[in-house]
Amino acid sequence: MAGRSNVGKSSLINKMLNRRGVARVSATPGKTQQLNYFLINNEFHLVDLPGYGFAKVPIDVKRQWGKMVETYLGRRDNLRLVLQLVDIRHAPSKEDVEMYQYLAHYGRPHGIVVTKADKISRGQYQKHIKVIKETLKVLPNTPIILTSSETALGRDELWNLIEQHLIP
Ligand code: GDP
């Protein structure tokens, strides 16, 4: 799972795992710099990539991040699915677009997870999703899952998508 700092990744992981305090919900955006692994049902790992796009991160840390993610996405043979998280309220940032280009370039199976759906009204969903799709230049047939960690919207859909990709 990848996404810019503060996108709601830790909250979503907590919601998905149905327990609090498993993934750290960070008070300081950009705090997590390492990969966090969660072993699920002794079957597979859910991997939390460090958040990107935090302005105060020193340049060498940014470089390290880029290298790590590039290595991870480029070379990890058993990586089944990459979920890229974007906040429903904002058009994707330059870093979001770069991240998506990585995924597309490496041909990684991926899905877009739209976070914090509860922050806008339902009537606005489609308009915001359209901006996200157009800004990222999302490839056709890419799953887009609308989620909220407040309401658990999208939780089952997300697990279903993950499950589909675990089957060899
Ligand atoms: P991370 O940096 O991507 O791990 O983001 P966090 O999970 O720490 O969330 C960043 C902030 O957004 C926190 O204040 C969360 O409480 C809030 N947040 C995360 N997900 C949601 C959501 O689905 N709905 C709402 N309303 N707030 C959320």
Side-chain angles (χ1 to χ4, degrees):
M1 299 180 75
R4 64 183 308 190
S5 300
N6 224 28
V7 71
K9 192 151 51 67
S10 310
S11 304
L12 185 66
I13 291 172
N14 281 337
K15 200 73 194 176
M16 288 173 73
L17 300 181
N18 221 0
R19 46 199 267 218
R20 286 161 203 263
V22 175
R24 186 177 54 208
V25 178
S26 42
T28 317
K31 203 164 64 177
T32 319
Q33 287 298 329
Q34 76 277 30
L35 298 164
N36 288 312
Y37 284 71
F38 300 94
L39 177 63
I40 314 287
N41 291 343
N42 272 320
E43 285 177 49
F44 67 95
H45 286 99
L46 188 150
V47 183
D48 179 13
L49 289 182
Y52 52 81
F54 184 51
K56 285 185 190 157
V57 170
I59 193 78
D60 57 328
V61 175
K62 276 186 194 167
R63 266 194 219 115
Q64 264 173 13
W65 184 94
K67 262 193 221 158
M68 176 172 69
V69 171
E70 196 163 357
T71 306
Y72 197 80
L73 296 181
R75 301 201 197 138
R76 194 92 184 122
D77 290 337
N78 56 1
L79 177 59
R80 293 291 173 87
L81 174 70
V82 183
L83 296 170
Q84 184 175 358
L85 277 61
V86 284
D87 188 322
I88 194 155
R89 296 170 297 171
H90 315 299
S93 66
K94 189 171 137 269
E95 287 94 349
D96 288 322
V97 174
E98 282 171 11
M99 181 73 204
Y100 190 76
Q101 284 171 349
Y102 267 142
L103 297 181
H105 171 77
Y106 287 113
R108 289 300 193 176
H110 60 270
I112 304 295
V113 175
V114 181
T115 63
K116 308 191 189 182
D118 62 284
K119 293 262 197 188
I120 66 167
S121 65
R122 271 177 201 218
Q124 301 283 302
Y125 284 174
Q126 287 315 315
K127 193 181 86 185
H128 286 249
I129 289 171
K130 187 165 180 269
V131 171
I132 290 166
K133 272 172 137 173
E134 286 176 358
T135 311
L136 293 179
K137 298 194 177 72
V138 172
L139 296 170
N141 304 320
T142 302
I144 297 179
I145 299 181
L146 195 61
T147 68
S148 165
S149 299
E150 290 289 310
T151 67
L153 174 75
R155 186 177 182 268
D156 293 346
E157 203 183 337
L158 204 46
W159 275 126
N160 285 339
L161 180 70
I162 291 170
E163 223 174 305
Q164 280 167 29
H165 283 83
L166 293 175
I167 300 161

